[in-house]
Amino acid sequence: MIRHKSKFLKIILFFLFVFAYSLQLTAYSLLAQEQKNEPIIVNGDTVEYSTIDNEVTATGNVSVINKGAKLTCDKLVVNTQTKDAEAQGNVRLDDGKGVIEGKKIKYNFQTKRGTIIDSEFRANPYFGRADNVDKVSESEFIARRGYMTTCDFDNPHWRIKSKRMNIFPDDKVQTKDDRFYLGRVPLLY
């Protein structure tokens, strides 16, 4: 009789464990879904919303804070459905891993990916400039046709110029076919 009670108790405990685990998974999926649908709050001197296009247009001292990333610019257009944004004029994207500044950006607030044209970047300990920078993931930037250095002066003492640089903030930089400059003088290829 005791064996049957022990087996029965084990079966009940097993089903309780499975039930609690499924509740936990449901809570996590609801939390993830809620985070995906997090609204984009746009601030600016002039903010307009088009219900036909589902777009927010802001001009003058524009700032957006979403999922830990802060975007500031002069003009911004955001699609509220797709979370795609296009910003122009004094664009600055700060996401905690680094800062990228440029003339124009195309960025998706949901995927946290985008491209900045004619940009400067700071992702400690790396600094640089590039024709464009692609933010391809949470921890990787790809800078094209530019240079990088660890010297934080406006005119760096040294730099590595390359057609493509894969930058992993707080980790490493991968480059290929580089030219090493000391000041403005190329020393190595």
Side-chain angles (χ1 to χ4, degrees):
M1 186 80 167
I2 294 177
R3 277 191 182 170
H4 293 296
K5 285 183 180 181
S6 173
K7 272 187 172 180
F8 183 70
L9 185 60
K10 285 180 184 178
I11 291 172
I12 289 176
L13 286 174
F14 174 76
F15 281 113
L16 283 174
F17 174 76
V18 169
F19 178 71
Y21 184 72
S22 67
L23 282 177
Q24 182 180 9
L25 286 178
T26 304
Y28 281 133
S29 68
L30 288 173
L31 180 63
Q33 187 177 28
E34 186 176 301
Q35 286 177 343
K36 282 184 182 177
N37 295 328
E38 184 177 321
I40 297 173
I41 300 171
V42 178
N43 296 312
D45 293 340
T46 304
V47 179
E48 300 172 355
Y49 178 70
S50 169
T51 56
I52 297 169
D53 299 329
N54 291 321
E55 287 185 344
V56 174
T57 303
T59 55
N61 298 315
V62 179
S63 69
V64 178
I65 299 174
N66 183 271
K67 295 183 182 178
K70 181 177 182 179
L71 175 69
T72 58
C73 62
D74 293 333
K75 181 181 179 186
L76 175 72
V77 178
V78 180
N79 185 307
T80 58
Q81 297 294 331
T82 64
K83 310 288 191 224
D84 288 326
E86 187 170 323
Q88 297 177 354
N90 299 317
V91 178
R92 178 184 167 100
L93 177 64
D94 184 351
D95 73 345
K97 293 273 187 181
V99 176
I100 305 173
E101 296 174 330
K103 290 183 179 179
K104 182 178 180 179
I105 183 173
K106 291 184 179 183
Y107 186 73
N108 185 292
F109 284 101
Q110 188 166 344
T111 63
K112 296 182 113 180
R113 294 180 179 186
T115 301
I116 297 184
I117 309 298
D118 192 20
S119 57
E120 291 184 27
F121 58 88
R122 292 183 299 282
N124 281 333
Y126 311 114
F127 305 91
R129 178 181 295 271
D131 286 352
N132 66 2
V133 174
D134 296 324
K135 185 173 187 277
V136 294
S137 74
E138 193 69 28
S139 60
E140 182 181 7
F141 300 92
I142 298 175
R144 300 181 197 285
R145 293 175 306 283
Y147 72 86
M148 62 79 46
T149 182
T150 56
C151 179
D152 62 353
F153 290 126
D154 290 338
N155 295 315
H157 295 97
W158 71 271
R159 60 192 162 123
I160 295 174
K161 197 170 185 179
S162 182
K163 289 182 181 177
R164 177 183 166 133
M165 299 169 276
N166 292 17
I167 301 165
F168 302 87
D170 298 325
D171 190 15
K172 62 185 173 186
V173 174
Q174 297 173 336
T175 63
K176 187 176 179 181
D177 299 329
D178 304 325
R179 292 180 302 258
F180 178 79
Y181 285 79
L182 189 59
R184 294 184 180 264
V185 179
L187 291 181
L188 298 170
Y189 173 78

